[in-house]
Amino acid sequence: MMLNLFSIFDPQVLWISINWMSSLLIILLIPQIYWIYNSRISYMFMLFMYMLWLEFKIILKVKFNLNNLIYLNLLFFFILINNFMGLFPYIFTSSSHLIYSVIFSLSMWFGFMLFGWVKNTNFMLIHLVPQGTPFLLMFFMVLIELLSGIIRPLTLSVRLAANMIAGHLLLVLLSSFVPSSFMMYLMVLFIQMLLLLLEIGVSIIQSYVFVILMILYLKETN
């Protein structure tokens, strides 16, 4: 039962990990930008990205790093597409694996730390001890702040993967339930539809939270 339950997260088909190719489905949206007149999909996409740009710009408030918002907007869209496409049948959910989120969180966290400790060493040292900390607690606060900074990529990765796995497991468990009557069947179908709507919301929220936390971590290095 457990092997069948978690088989939806198996990236291998036969002996090849070809299920990871589902992450390239975003390429199907690229031809939309080559038309003379924007289609409704491309228009909604550009409007949505512009709203995200304004939202992220307010949070960052640093002109030096505004160019990074281009990458962060694309990262949000890439995670969102992978989360959303995983809700369709027979499409692999790549964002449910830790290796997917670790690639983004660990690489960006390492870049932030390298930039902060090389360019803003004094600020990073001051950040280890919050203002108003008693002298006896300063040594413990340094250890706590270092530990909290080190586990940030792990918490980012686990948050995204765990939320995607939990929703998919609930849908699989409900789909394996065999109702005994027509009313039970309608009830299970209604609950599945509610969970599907919830998963659509989770796919948007998790990609937004992931990028927002990366922007906050970037802001702390300046």
Side-chain angles (χ1 to χ4, degrees):
M1 179 64 184
M2 294 302 293
L3 292 177
N4 295 330
L5 186 61
F6 286 92
S7 61
I8 59 174
F9 305 109
D10 190 4
Q12 291 187 355
V13 176
L14 297 179
W15 297 278
I16 306 173
S17 299
I18 199 171
N19 284 349
W20 289 106
M21 298 295 291
S22 63
S23 298
L24 300 179
L25 290 174
I26 193 174
I27 299 178
L28 298 176
L29 299 177
I30 294 179
Q32 298 288 332
I33 65 177
Y34 292 107
W35 292 92
I36 297 178
Y37 295 101
N38 291 330
S39 63
R40 293 182 180 180
I41 296 178
S42 60
Y43 178 76
M44 291 177 60
F45 168 71
M46 296 302 295
L47 180 62
F48 187 57
M49 296 300 285
Y50 180 71
M51 292 173 60
L52 285 176
W53 174 276
L54 296 179
E55 181 72 19
F56 296 159
K57 184 179 178 181
I58 294 174
I59 299 175
L60 195 57
K61 293 183 180 179
V62 180
K63 295 183 178 180
F64 177 74
N65 290 321
L66 288 182
N67 292 329
N68 295 327
L69 293 182
I70 300 175
Y71 170 75
L72 293 170
N73 276 349
L74 294 178
L75 177 62
F76 169 84
F77 184 67
F78 182 70
I79 297 176
L80 176 62
I81 288 297
N82 282 277
N83 292 344
F84 183 72
M85 296 303 292
L87 298 176
F88 289 90
Y90 304 105
I91 297 181
F92 175 67
T93 310
S94 57
S95 57
S96 62
H97 284 253
L98 280 176
I99 188 64
Y100 174 90
S101 50
V102 164
I103 290 175
F104 300 113
S105 60
L106 186 60
S107 59
M108 294 186 67
W109 173 83
F110 182 77
F112 294 162
M113 292 296 103
L114 186 63
F115 173 80
W117 286 104
V118 172
K119 296 293 184 180
N120 298 321
T121 307
N122 293 332
F123 177 79
M124 296 296 290
L125 290 173
I126 294 173
H127 186 70
L128 294 177
V129 181
Q131 187 176 4
T133 304
F135 178 77
L136 295 178
L137 297 178
M138 287 184 179
F139 304 99
F140 298 101
M141 290 302 299
V142 171
L143 294 177
I144 293 173
E145 290 294 330
L146 284 176
L147 182 61
S148 64
I150 292 173
I151 65 174
R152 280 177 178 178
L154 180 61
T155 55
L156 278 175
S157 306
V158 172
R159 179 185 290 109
L160 178 60
N163 282 279
M164 299 309 298
I165 289 176
H168 283 67
L169 287 180
L170 284 176
L171 292 175
V172 173
L173 285 173
L174 282 177
S175 63
S176 62
F177 177 73
V178 179
S180 58
S181 62
F182 182 71
M183 293 300 297
M184 288 292 295
Y185 177 78
L186 291 179
M187 184 179 298
V188 172
L189 181 61
F190 179 72
I191 295 176
Q192 281 188 327
M193 294 300 295
L194 290 180
L195 280 177
L196 185 61
L197 293 176
L198 178 63
E199 277 298 292
I200 294 175
V202 168
S203 63
I204 299 174
I205 292 173
Q206 288 304 313
S207 55
Y208 179 78
V209 169
F210 188 91
V211 177
I212 283 293
L213 289 177
M214 296 306 297
I215 293 176
L216 293 177
Y217 297 159
L218 175 61
K219 185 179 178 181
E220 289 183 359
T221 60
N222 292 294

